[in-house]
Structures are given as structure tokens and as C-alpha cells.
Amino acid sequence: MRPEPSKAFDPGEWEPERAGEALRAHGCRVTQPRVAVLRALLEHGGTIDALGLTALAQRYEPGIHEATVYRTVNVLSEVGIASHVHAGHGPSLVRLAGDEQLVAVCRDCGAIAPIPEESVAQLVESVEARTGFLLEPGHFALEGVCGECSP
Amino acid sequence: MRPEPSKAFDPGEWEPERAGEALRAHGCRVTQPRVAVLRALLEHGGTIDALGLTALAQRYEPGIHEATVYRTVNVLSEVGIASHVHAGHGPSLVRLAGDEQLVAVCRDCGAIAPIPEESVAQLVESVEARTGFLLEPGHFALEGVCGECSP
DNA sequence: TCTGTAATTGCGAGCCGGTCGCAACTAGCG
DNA sequence: CGCTAGTTGCGACCGGCTCGCAATTACAGA
């Protein structure tokens, strides 16, 4: 799910150990559920919704509760390890910091496609030049219909 | 989308009578609740959420139910009279067709800026060519920081 | 290593925007 | 004017997410 080898995110970036330090540095405890969520994010390596993330995290922490995943994601965001993306419709998405990228979500099937870096740069630049707005492409998603869902 | 991007939207465009024709042309009935919602949209003249729209519509059709407003908005969208926008968290917004444009919302002050038509076209084209995704600008909003909120 | 204690978790209830099924109502054709 | 299928009102329901609370647990300090 991660087609950009050039600017590729290095998963080692947030190996549990380093992430643990980041957490402690913010006065947060390093708990098993949190590590499980982190590992799930590392394993998945891309953008994922809370439900999927919970499912993945179950592998490392079988009893982990959905609410805990939500809380953990918030903590990870505050600490700068992860960030959440609000997709127009449907659930919001999570990904590791450093893997931030503008994505498009299919309104019919929910498929997620990364937007080519070049198109993003073009947009950001052009919008800033003309409106003064500095877009934050990592924090929102575009909506549309994917190739498979459109006739 | 409509041919006149430079000019402001003319509310007269969707006077109940013309809207009625559009509805009938799609095999839909012109009912009092629908007219009430339409008048509320005309009266308000901008983007509004379903709750606010319901409140406004009550003036013309006192007993109108929230579910009816949602359904009506969907119908109006299908017929091309209105469209809905997803902006970040919170409820989605409705506006009259013709008032459509991709907008950016400032994450700090909530300011809304229209994105230049040209930048949008560029983005849509480039994304479609490279990912097969057909974006639907006007149905979602971009997020960023406006000129005044960023130093 | 053991202990105290405050952060964290699991759990279920709850909130909120939005949708659905169904019986009653009504637009509008004939 | 009567028929009938599209609509409405209503309440139950759904999915995403948050909250309150008792039980659990990380980890600083003894």
C-alpha cells in the first residue's frame, strides 16, 4: 500500500523503543495496549481506520478495546507519533507521522488512494499564491469515485 | 458545474417554480416540505447544516421533520438543485447548486476561502490521470491555515 | 524487590449525525 | 373526483466516537 519508494517512510523511525521515549517524554505511560497499537501501525504501514487498526492491534493485545484504540490514537497524535486524517464521509483515518500524505477516499467503496506528490505540491503552491491559504495536506482527505466504482 | 465561474450565484436561479420543473423532470413530486426546504435554502443563501436548515424550513412548513429535510436534501442533490459538502468534523453542509466551489477552511479561525477554479481543474485532471480517481470538488473542503492566522 | 498511587484500561451507556421501515398522507394523472 | 405510487412523520436504529467508573497496571520511590 505504499508506492512511493523515494520519499518512503522509514518504519524504524518509530520502533517501539523510540516511541516509548516519546511517550515518556510527555509524561505518558508505555502500556501494552499502546505498544500493540503502535506495532499495528508499523505493521500496516499506511493509512487505516480505527476499526481496522483495532483488528490489527488484537494480534498483539487480544483483548484490546475499541475505545482504548481511539484514546491511544489521540495520545499518539498529541505526542507526534501519529496523525489522524479526517475523510469527508465515513470514519477518520490514522497513520504514522512521517507517512503523511494527501489521500483520496472513494465515496462508494471507501478505497484509499495516495495523491501523487507532484499534484499536491502544485495545488498547495497555487492555492497559497492566490489565496494566502497554507494548506495542510496531511490532515484532510479528498473525496471522489475510484476507477473501479465509476462506470 | 455551471458555466459562469466569475459571477456570483443568482438566487433567482432556483426560484420555486424552476426548481419544481427540475423535480418533475426527474419524476419527483413537488411537495410542500420540499418547497419549504428550497425556500429556506434561498432565504439563507449560503452553506448551512441540516439542523439549521430544518429550523429555517419550519417557518414555511411548521411540522417538517428532520428526516424529511435529510431526504429532501438528497433529492435536491440528485436533481442538481443543491449539493452537500463535508467539512472536517461535525455535520455536513448544504448549499444551492451554482454556489459550488472547492473551499479551504482555516483550522484556526474557520475562515472559508474559495479555491481558484484553475487550481481545482489542475488537481482533478492530474489526479484522474495518475490514480483513476475522479474527484468531486465541491463535495469536500480543504483544510489549512489562512493568511491571517499564519505568521 | 516491594509498595503506593495515579495513569490507563475495559466495559457499557450515551451522544450525535444520519438512515430506515412502516403506516398515513397526498400530488397529480386519468 | 378517485386512484395509486411517491412522500412524509415518526420512532427505532446504526456507525463512529466519547464518557464515567471500577478494576488494573506502570513505574517512582522506599
Side-chain angles (χ1 to χ4, degrees):
Chain A
M1 238 277 187
R2 293 199 305 120
E4 79 299 19
S6 55
K7 188 207 158 192
F9 168 68
D10 171 16
E13 173 86 13
W14 290 117
E15 281 306 329
E17 184 146 341
R18 253 211 67 201
E21 286 169 28
L23 281 171
R24 285 198 198 89
H26 284 249
C28 300
R29 289 183 183 171
V30 179
T31 66
Q32 303 211 49
R34 282 174 183 175
V35 172
V37 168
L38 183 61
R39 285 159 72 123
L41 274 173
L42 283 165
E43 178 194 341
H44 183 262
T47 306
I48 188 176
D49 62 40
L51 208 61
L53 186 55
T54 303
L56 281 185
Q58 305 264 10
R59 292 198 197 170
Y60 302 107
E61 182 72 8
I64 193 169
H65 195 275
E66 207 186 323
T68 301
V69 173
Y70 279 109
R71 286 187 282 224
T72 299
V73 165
N74 288 339
V75 170
L76 293 181
S77 299
E78 274 162 31
V79 169
I81 295 175
S83 67
H84 59 279
V85 192
H86 187 264
H89 204 73
S92 51
L93 310 169
V94 190
R95 58 190 167 197
L96 287 167
D99 204 14
E100 280 147 358
Q101 189 182 26
L102 183 57
V103 296
V105 180
C106 175
R107 85 160 132 73
D108 287 343
C109 71
I112 297 174
I115 301 298
E117 178 67 29
E118 202 180 312
S119 314
V120 180
Q122 228 175 39
L123 176 71
V124 172
E125 193 180 317
S126 135
V127 167
E128 185 174 14
R130 297 177 205 206
T131 70
F133 251 82
L134 186 57
L135 295 182
E136 301 182 323
H139 294 161
F140 59 87
L142 308 184
E143 259 183 281
V145 189
C146 74
E148 310 219 329
C149 289
S150 78
Chain B
M1 303 246 179
R2 288 187 336 131
E4 11 146 69
S6 54
K7 205 193 126 200
F9 167 68
D10 170 16
E13 175 82 16
W14 290 116
E15 282 304 329
E17 184 146 340
R18 252 211 69 201
E21 286 169 27
L23 282 170
R24 285 197 200 91
H26 284 250
C28 300
R29 290 185 184 170
V30 179
T31 66
Q32 302 211 45
R34 282 175 183 174
V35 172
V37 169
L38 182 62
R39 285 160 73 122
L41 274 172
L42 284 165
E43 178 194 341
H44 183 261
T47 51
I48 186 174
D49 62 39
L51 209 61
L53 186 54
T54 304
L56 281 185
Q58 304 265 10
R59 292 197 198 171
Y60 303 106
E61 183 71 8
I64 193 169
H65 195 275
E66 207 184 322
T68 301
V69 173
Y70 280 111
R71 286 188 282 224
T72 300
V73 165
N74 288 338
V75 170
L76 293 181
S77 299
E78 275 162 31
V79 169
I81 296 175
S83 68
H84 58 281
V85 195
H86 302 293
H89 291 92
S92 52
L93 309 170
V94 189
R95 59 190 171 196
L96 286 167
D99 211 8
E100 282 154 350
Q101 48 192 340
L102 182 56
V103 296
V105 180
C106 175
R107 85 158 133 73
D108 287 343
C109 71
I112 294 179
I115 303 297
E117 177 68 27
E118 201 180 315
S119 314
V120 179
Q122 224 175 42
L123 175 72
V124 171
E125 193 180 316
S126 139
V127 166
E128 185 174 16
R130 296 178 204 204
T131 69
F133 251 83
L134 186 57
L135 294 184
E136 301 182 323
H139 291 174
F140 58 85
L142 309 182
E143 270 179 78
V145 189
C146 74
E148 310 219 330
C149 289
S150 79

